[in-house]
Amino acid sequence: MFTLHYRLERRAIGMTLGIIAAASIGGFVEIAPLFTIDQTVEAAPDMRVYTPLELAGRNIYMREGCYACHSQMIRTLRDEVERYGPYSLAVESKYDHPMLWGSKRTGPDIARLGGKYSDEWHVRHLLDPRDVVPVSIMPSYGWLMENDLRIDDLRDQLATQRAVGVPYTPDMIRHAADDAYAQANPDGSGVKDLTARYGEATTVRAFDGTPGRLTEMDSLVAYLQILGRLTDAASRDTLAKDLE
């Protein structure tokens, strides 16, 4: 069984050619599907981008390592669909750089978390997880309520996202800091401009319960509340399959 392998090991050129052949086959299998990606990724005309506040919350989510315990990819298995909702589609991560699908589930999958709980629930959960889930082993994140959100670099964050294909407009980039503040201050003067740039469906409220002050808690809750709601493609896809 190992005779051929032993012979190759004694011949450097033959071994090198064998490695190249094996790597070429593996590379082809991985790369070839990318040439048909336009046909395999679902269309989502209603797909919206993250607002500056939601994008800042996503960055805090990554900074705190939340992705290490929570996946954002519901597989097509029946028990997962029944527990979490419609299975995830590739297009739903279209504007995620990097994507946060993951596979580790110390905590539940949160791909469809948006709108499932109130803002107050999320704030209490982040301040003291056991206050709302007695058996939770999640650590508390009380400093999010104490830390003011840094907004001076939001222009750069949106510009970077635009560079990798997210369709932020120059106007969105220019007003990133103002829009972040407006989204967490429903009585502020910037709400009209915010919704004009990001759409009437944009969620505008004091996410941490304290209007007038912009905290890291505001941004993280805003991000959690939009998960699974950037597009209705998954719900439409599930409905179409049910009707077949």
Side-chain angles (χ1 to χ4, degrees):
M1 178 178 178
F2 297 103
T3 302
L4 178 60
H5 191 276
Y6 289 149
R7 288 178 178 174
L8 282 174
E9 286 182 338
R10 297 192 191 99
R11 294 170 173 79
I13 294 178
M15 187 67 173
T16 300
L17 292 175
I19 292 173
I20 293 174
S24 298
I25 294 172
F28 177 79
V29 171
E30 290 186 351
I31 295 172
L34 297 178
F35 291 101
T36 62
I37 196 159
D38 290 337
Q39 288 76 43
T40 57
V41 175
E42 308 81 359
D46 64 334
M47 187 76 178
R48 49 154 289 191
V49 297
Y50 292 111
T51 65
L53 185 65
E54 293 158 2
L55 183 63
R58 186 176 189 273
N59 290 337
I60 291 172
Y61 178 92
M62 290 188 288
R63 183 194 74 189
E64 300 298 341
C66 303
Y67 59 86
C69 292
H70 295 281
S71 62
Q72 291 187 30
M73 184 182 70
I74 304 170
R75 293 170 287 227
T76 55
L77 302 174
R78 179 175 178 179
D79 61 331
E80 293 207 9
V81 172
E82 289 182 348
R83 180 179 181 184
Y84 298 121
Y87 57 82
S88 299
L89 302 178
V91 70
E92 293 181 275
S93 299
K94 182 178 181 179
Y95 298 143
D96 284 353
H97 301 283
M99 62 80 181
L100 299 173
W101 292 346
S103 59
K104 185 74 168 66
R105 287 181 179 167
T106 302
D109 184 275
I110 62 171
R112 309 238 174 269
L113 184 64
K116 186 176 182 180
Y117 303 105
S118 67
D119 295 338
E120 181 184 6
W121 186 96
H122 282 294
V123 172
R124 290 175 60 191
H125 185 235
L126 289 164
L127 291 176
D128 183 3
R130 280 146 297 283
D131 189 28
V132 291
V133 184
V135 298
S136 176
I137 61 173
M138 177 175 144
S140 60
Y141 295 88
W143 57 86
L144 297 177
M145 198 71 166
E146 300 171 4
N147 293 350
D148 290 331
L149 179 66
R150 179 183 175 184
I151 60 176
D152 61 316
D153 63 345
L154 284 177
R155 287 187 181 184
D156 293 336
Q157 291 185 33
L158 264 66
T160 300
Q161 293 288 315
R162 177 181 169 88
V164 294
V166 182
Y168 286 115
T169 65
D171 192 45
M172 289 176 172
I173 295 172
R174 186 165 51 252
H175 293 93
D178 294 335
D179 287 341
Y181 185 81
Q183 189 173 0
N185 290 274
D187 297 324
S189 59
V191 174
K192 183 177 180 180
D193 291 334
L194 167 70
T195 54
R197 278 186 278 272
Y198 292 93
E200 293 296 329
T202 303
T203 305
V204 180
R205 55 180 182 256
F207 295 95
D208 69 354
T210 57
R213 182 185 174 210
L214 190 60
T215 66
E216 291 186 342
M217 183 69 78
D218 277 312
S219 60
L220 181 54
V221 174
Y223 170 65
L224 295 175
Q225 291 288 39
I226 200 62
L227 289 174
R229 305 176 72 182
L230 290 177
T231 174
D232 292 329
S235 298
R236 293 197 306 270
D237 187 72
T238 300
L239 178 61
K241 285 181 169 55
D242 289 341
L243 295 175
E244 288 179 354

